[in-house]
Amino acid sequence: MLPDDEYYLISACKDGNPMIRDGITGDWIGTFLGHKGAVWQARLSNDANLAATASADFSAKIWDTFTGECLQTLVHNHIVRTVTFAPTPTHIATGGPEKKLRVYDLAHSDVPLEIGANTHTGTIKSLVWSGPNTIISGSDDKQLRWWDIRTRQLVSQFDMGESITSCELSPEGALISATAGKSAFFFDTQSRQPIKGIKTEYELSCVALHQPSRRFITGGSSDTWVRVYDYDTEAELEVYKGHHGSIWSVGFSPDGKLYATGSEDGTIKLWKYTNQPYGLWK
């Protein structure tokens, strides 16, 4: 387990070189070298001992975050768009244009479990592992789906109305946040039911909810601004400028005092989300 005041940030990039950084200061720690194509997504395990990357080179890779060594290369038949770790880092799941959800036991990764191969009709762009036995997939076919890994069966789905651009588990683990078109949706992880859908004036590519302050942050594909909304009133509260490209990723730190945005401009920006001195703002 990591100390409460220690966490890390991992980034994906079109240059094929995912990086790990100090989550509070943004200081560079290391680069994972080995992919031969753009890296669409990068994830850390809950204990930060392992990293997983999804790439345009038709592979997902598992990395040792201490040494930077590539531990496993999981070969696919097409681009891998998304990857996620199980709550315990013994398994990962991948998805992409093959429209197949694959689950890998990292101790026996030569024979992945395939789920929903004839269900998805669009590229799988987002995966979230929610609880020990449930994976949520978001696809270009506009459907957000909940899968039971034990039975390999679809247990619930929700029509988002437009292609799904992101899906994330909140730091508290109680809600799923997802975006499609100009809307952000929030789902209860236990009931799998939508709690709220909020329509904005902008095309959304990502959203992150901070439950204690009841605010959420969005980034979009049509402009370069970071926006802060009130979850209850749905009002736009603040707009932050600084990026020079579309914003594809946003996420809160585990302590909720910081959030990060990743952009097409090749930068990650850290934004303070507390009135107290913190990190670089001391």
Side-chain angles (χ1 to χ4, degrees), residues 126-142:
S126 298
L127 290 173
V128 170
W129 207 303
S130 175
N133 301 307
T134 302
I135 295 177
I136 303 165
S137 61
S139 169
D140 272 347
D141 63 15
K142 306 178 184 179

Side-chain angles (χ1 to χ4, degrees), residues 146-160:
W146 282 256
W147 303 92
D148 188 311
I149 303 169
R150 297 163 297 184
T151 63
R152 308 190 201 183
Q153 296 300 309
L154 178 68
V155 293
S156 183
Q157 70 181 53
F158 182 82
D159 188 344
M160 300 276 280

Side-chain angles (χ1 to χ4, degrees), residues 197-214:
I198 299 173
K199 184 74 174 287
T200 73
E201 298 179 8
Y202 314 97
E203 294 291 330
L204 300 182
S205 56
C206 52
V207 62
L209 174 67
H210 185 251
Q211 288 181 250
S213 66
R214 302 188 72 78

Side-chain angles (χ1 to χ4, degrees), residues 43-46 50 52 62 72 74 83-94 102-109 111-113 129 131-133 135 149:
R43 298 288 192 186
L44 288 172
S45 60
N46 284 339
L50 297 175
I62 308 299
Q72 295 188 54
L74 309 175
V83 63
T84 185
F85 274 103
T88 55
T90 56
H91 294 70
I92 68 161
T94 65
R102 289 184 173 92
V103 177
Y104 292 85
D105 180 341
L106 296 182
H108 308 282
S109 59
V111 186
L113 184 70
W129 207 303
N133 301 307
I135 295 177
I149 303 169

Side-chain angles (χ1 to χ4, degrees), residues 217-218 224-228 238-240 243 247 259 261 271:
I217 316 292
T218 67
T224 62
W225 296 352
V226 180
R227 291 181 167 84
V228 182
E238 300 170 35
V239 178
Y240 294 109
H243 279 299
I247 298 166
Y259 65 89
T261 53
W271 309 80

Side-chain angles (χ1 to χ4, degrees), residues 108-131:
H108 308 282
S109 59
D110 53 325
V111 186
L113 184 70
E114 292 191 2
I115 300 175
N118 298 315
T119 303
H120 294 97
T121 59
T123 297
I124 301 173
K125 288 186 174 178
S126 298
L127 290 173
V128 170
W129 207 303
S130 175

